[in-house]
């Protein structure tokens, strides 16, 4: 929105915000703001009269207070890597964008307490690096880690490839610092594993998508840095074999399975065809593959022997047809590049209808079979591309465009396909959002599938903490 289009009230607010954050903390130029108005897949495009970039908690609190006084809503935004439109102002909103990118300091690494205290704008990869410099591991890891920010990760309860061993963002946070909707600052930056003094308030903001306040800093857990890592790429005999292999791996390794990813043949073939440097590591082609990893804290902790035992016994039991164990860090990286390429290569298959679902681990094969049958009945020739975090039950269930169907026709089936997939998920006791959040994308599903009492409880919390409804309106609820 050009400066000339600003209302007198917004011009006054802009001047107030500039006085708080300085010229370098305010963006009002339309071209400079434009990239912040659209999410990565282009599904949502908004607008805002101002983007404000505070450089401290005090500045953030003053900005929120000024907006509250002016009755102007706020859309918090981190690295803008989310996939549900949570960081984009809703259409027709007059909300400003509050970007946390300047708040990117790592305040403390306490290696003996196994904690790291970080500001919300810290890029995830930088936190991982800071932990590694102290011989520690921050295990949150996802494909956008080079640009996503920890405040957004926490606000959406991000997951990633290591949830099986270490949990979601919710499991990795000990304390938070939050600016409340009226501008007050709650300092909950505790480094404690035990604090039994009432409600665990931080949990309201983890996964809250900025609708109850703005996370400005967090105390996160660290872990011993793995020194014995074994990685295998495996051809499965069947989808059901993934369950047997996972159970075998957990038992034989002393539950040292860090990641367990499912990759279907269609996605691997697309990655090999379209992504430079990607090749099938196995000689035998099968319909489904697993990429999994064991990790021990000490060198020579037995993970290599455990991996050999797991695979030899699985081969003998008819659970797998082929396998390759990474023999170097370079080969391990190649295996994980396949996993990343699976996501990127889908764009070469045409249009894609995407779902981020969670199901009980033991029910993953049944879900995939039921969903495949339902989707291909609705769209003959559709190409299901299920992949993802099979070890924790989070499957990215995507459907690629039939080769003989145009994009517009294919995408016209999106609502019906999504309804069919989510109906199966809910019927099986699963969730229609595993790690991407709700944002704007899944508001309809919230109304359809959440219990009315749950929605009522959430609305009561929202009303109590944000009575004016100025925190990220149009998201989650």
């Amino acid at each position: 929105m050009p400066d000339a289009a600003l209302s007198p009230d917004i011009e006054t607010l802009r001047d107030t915000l500039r006085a708080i954050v300085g010229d370098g903390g305010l963006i009002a130029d339309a071209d400079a703001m434009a990239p912040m108005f659209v999410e990565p897949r282009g599904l949502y495009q908004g607008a805002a009269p101002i983007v404000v970039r505070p450089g401290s908690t005090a500045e953030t609190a003053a900005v929120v207070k000024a907006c509250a006084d002016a009755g102007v809503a706020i859309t918090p935004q981190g690295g803008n890597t989310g996939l549900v439109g949570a960081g984009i102002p809703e259409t027709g909103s007059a909300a400003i964008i509050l970007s946390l990118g300047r708040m990117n300091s790592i305040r403390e690494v306490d290696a003996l307490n196994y904690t790291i205290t970080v500001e919300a704008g810290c890029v995830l990869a930088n936190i991982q690096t800071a932990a590694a410099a102290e011989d520690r591991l921050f295990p949150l890891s996802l494909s956008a880690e080079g640009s996503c920010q920890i405040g957004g990760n926490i606000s959406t309860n991000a997951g990633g490839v290591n949830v099986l061993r270490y949990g979601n963002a919710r499991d990795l946070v000990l304390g938070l610092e939050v600016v409340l909707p009226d501008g007050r600052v709650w300092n909950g930056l505790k480094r404690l594993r035990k604090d039994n003094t009432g409600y665990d308030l931080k949990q309201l903001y983890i996964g809250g998508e900025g609708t109850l306040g703005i996370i400005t800093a967090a105390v996160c857990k660290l872990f011993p840095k793995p020194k014995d890592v074994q990685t295998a790429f495996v051809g499965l005999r069947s989808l059901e074999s993934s369950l047997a292999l996972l159970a075998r791996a957990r038992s034989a390794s002393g539950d040292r399975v860090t990641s367990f990813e499912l990759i279907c043949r269609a996605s691997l073939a697309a990655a090999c065809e379209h992504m430079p440097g990607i090749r099938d590591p196995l000689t035998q082609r099968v319909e489904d593959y697993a990429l999994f990893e064991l990790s021990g804290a000490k060198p020579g902790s037995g993970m290599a022997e455990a991996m050999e035992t797991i695979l030899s016994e699985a081969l003998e039991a008819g659970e797998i047809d082929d396998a390759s164990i990474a023999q170097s860090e370079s080969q391990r990286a190649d295996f994980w590049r396949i996993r990343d390429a699976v996501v990127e290569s889908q764009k070469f298959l045409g249009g894609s209808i995407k779902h981020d679902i969670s199901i009980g681990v033991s029910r993953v094969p049944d879900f995939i079979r039921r969903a495949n049958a339902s989707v291909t009945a609705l769209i003959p020739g559709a190409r299901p591309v299920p992949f993802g975090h099979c070890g924790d039950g989070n499957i990215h269930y995507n459907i690629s465009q039939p080769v003989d169907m145009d994009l517009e026709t294919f995408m016209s089936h999106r609502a019906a396909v999504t309804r069919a997939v989510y109906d199966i998920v809910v019927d099986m006791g699963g969730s229609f959002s595993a790690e991407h959040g709700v944002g704007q994308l899944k508001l309809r599903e919230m109304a359809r599938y959440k219990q009315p009492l749950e929605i009522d409880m959430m609305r009561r919390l929202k009303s109590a903490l944000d009575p004016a409804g100025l925190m990220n309106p149009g998201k989650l609820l």
Side-chain angles (χ1 to χ4, degrees):
M1 184 182 298
D3 287 0
L6 296 180
S7 70
D9 288 345
I10 291 295
E11 286 191 0
T12 299
L13 177 62
R14 180 183 60 180
D15 293 340
T16 301
L17 298 182
R18 178 178 284 112
I20 295 169
V21 300
D23 289 338
L26 196 74
I27 305 175
D29 177 74
D31 291 338
M33 290 192 293
M36 309 178 82
F37 294 163
V38 60
E39 55 87 50
R41 291 188 292 184
L43 295 178
Y44 296 98
Q45 185 158 356
I50 303 167
V51 174
V52 61
R53 304 177 68 239
S56 67
T57 300
E59 288 185 1
T60 302
V63 166
V64 172
K65 177 67 164 58
C67 289
D69 290 344
V72 174
I74 296 173
T75 298
Q77 189 177 101
N80 196 21
T81 60
L83 299 176
V84 294
I88 305 299
E90 62 177 337
T91 302
S93 169
I96 70 163
I97 288 178
L98 193 152
S99 171
L100 280 299
R102 290 179 64 208
M103 291 190 61
N104 56 13
S105 296
I106 294 174
R107 294 183 182 177
E108 180 189 41
V109 181
D110 187 342
L112 295 180
N113 195 43
Y114 283 79
T115 56
I116 185 168
T117 304
V118 298
E119 292 185 336
C122 284
V123 172
L124 176 56
N126 294 341
I127 299 174
Q128 297 167 345
T129 299
E134 298 293 331
D135 199 32
R136 298 292 184 261
L137 171 72
F138 183 59
L140 187 63
S141 179
L142 45 142
S143 58
E145 61 193 29
S147 55
C148 65
Q149 296 172 11
I150 192 64
N153 298 148
I154 295 171
S155 292
T156 56
N157 189 29
V161 298
N162 293 327
V163 170
L164 173 60
R165 177 77 177 275
Y166 300 103
N168 293 299
R170 188 179 302 281
D171 303 294
L172 300 175
V173 174
L174 291 175
L176 291 178
E177 177 185 80
V178 179
V179 176
L180 304 182
D182 60 6
R184 289 180 296 169
V185 178
W186 172 52
N187 185 351
L189 289 175
K190 295 183 178 180
R191 298 160 175 79
L192 306 176
R193 265 74 177 180
K194 292 182 177 181
D195 180 11
N196 201 3
T197 56
Y199 303 131
D200 191 357
L201 296 176
K202 69 178 180 293
Q203 297 297 346
L204 296 176
Y205 300 97
I206 303 172
E209 300 187 20
T211 61
L212 301 177
I214 297 172
I215 295 171
T216 49
V219 179
C220 297
K221 297 178 185 177
L222 299 179
F223 296 84
K225 186 178 179 182
K227 304 294 176 59
D228 183 4
V229 178
Q230 300 294 321
T231 309
F233 196 93
V234 179
L236 298 168
R237 179 67 59 87
S238 67
L239 278 172
E240 285 74 16
S241 296
S242 65
L243 304 180
L245 179 61
L246 174 59
R248 184 184 300 281
R250 295 187 70 172
S251 177
S253 67
D255 213 9
R256 296 295 190 270
V257 183
T258 306
S259 308
F260 194 96
E261 299 288 305
L262 181 70
I263 298 172
C264 70
R265 178 68 207 172
S267 60
L268 176 61
C272 291
E273 180 179 357
H274 298 290
M275 304 302 292
I278 301 298
R279 64 177 185 84
D280 188 340
L282 305 181
T283 56
Q284 188 168 343
R285 294 189 175 187
V286 298
E287 287 301 310
D288 298 287
Y289 302 82
L291 168 61
F292 75 100
E293 198 158 81
L294 313 177
S295 61
K298 298 188 300 182
S301 60
M303 294 300 100
E305 294 82 357
M307 182 65 84
E308 291 282 358
T309 298
I310 291 163
L311 295 180
S312 62
E313 291 182 354
L315 188 62
E316 184 176 349
E319 296 162 3
I320 65 175
D321 286 324
D322 199 0
S324 177
I325 302 173
Q327 300 300 309
S328 64
E329 184 60 32
S330 175
Q331 190 176 14
R332 173 179 177 255
D334 287 343
F335 286 174
W336 281 107
R337 272 193 287 273
I338 294 172
R339 171 60 177 81
D340 292 337
V342 160
V343 180
E344 292 296 319
S345 63
Q346 286 182 61
K347 62 187 177 184
F348 296 99
L349 299 178
S352 181
I353 301 173
K354 302 180 185 295
H355 310 91
D356 162 48
I357 68 94
S358 180
I359 206 82
V361 173
S362 63
R363 310 192 77 178
V364 166
D366 188 28
F367 161 74
I368 292 175
R369 295 190 194 286
R370 285 183 61 181
N372 286 355
S374 179
V375 165
T376 52
L378 285 169
I379 311 177
R383 294 173 287 174
V385 186
F387 68 96
H389 320 305
C390 182
D392 59 53
N394 174 198
I395 299 299
H396 299 294
Y397 186 77
N398 300 345
I399 302 103
S400 288
Q401 178 181 345
V403 293
D404 58 351
M405 181 179 288
D406 66 86
L407 178 61
E408 184 177 357
T409 301
F410 172 64
M411 295 306 292
S412 72
H413 294 284
R414 179 177 173 182
V417 167
T418 296
R419 175 70 181 269
V421 170
Y422 289 158
D423 280 352
I424 293 170
V425 169
V426 174
D427 180 62
M428 298 180 71
S431 171
F432 57 84
S433 179
E435 63 177 0
H436 291 166
V438 173
Q440 301 179 65
L441 181 65
K442 299 182 180 181
L443 288 175
R444 183 179 304 171
E445 283 71 33
M446 285 288 282
R448 176 176 293 138
Y449 297 114
K450 293 287 281 187
Q451 297 178 36
L453 179 57
E454 290 179 313
I455 296 293
D456 180 62
M457 293 168 68
M458 292 173 67
R459 290 193 183 280
R460 286 171 181 262
L461 284 169
K462 172 72 169 174
S463 178
L465 293 172
D466 181 25
L470 298 180
M471 288 287 101
N472 212 8
K475 319 298 165 51
L476 194 60
L477 289 169

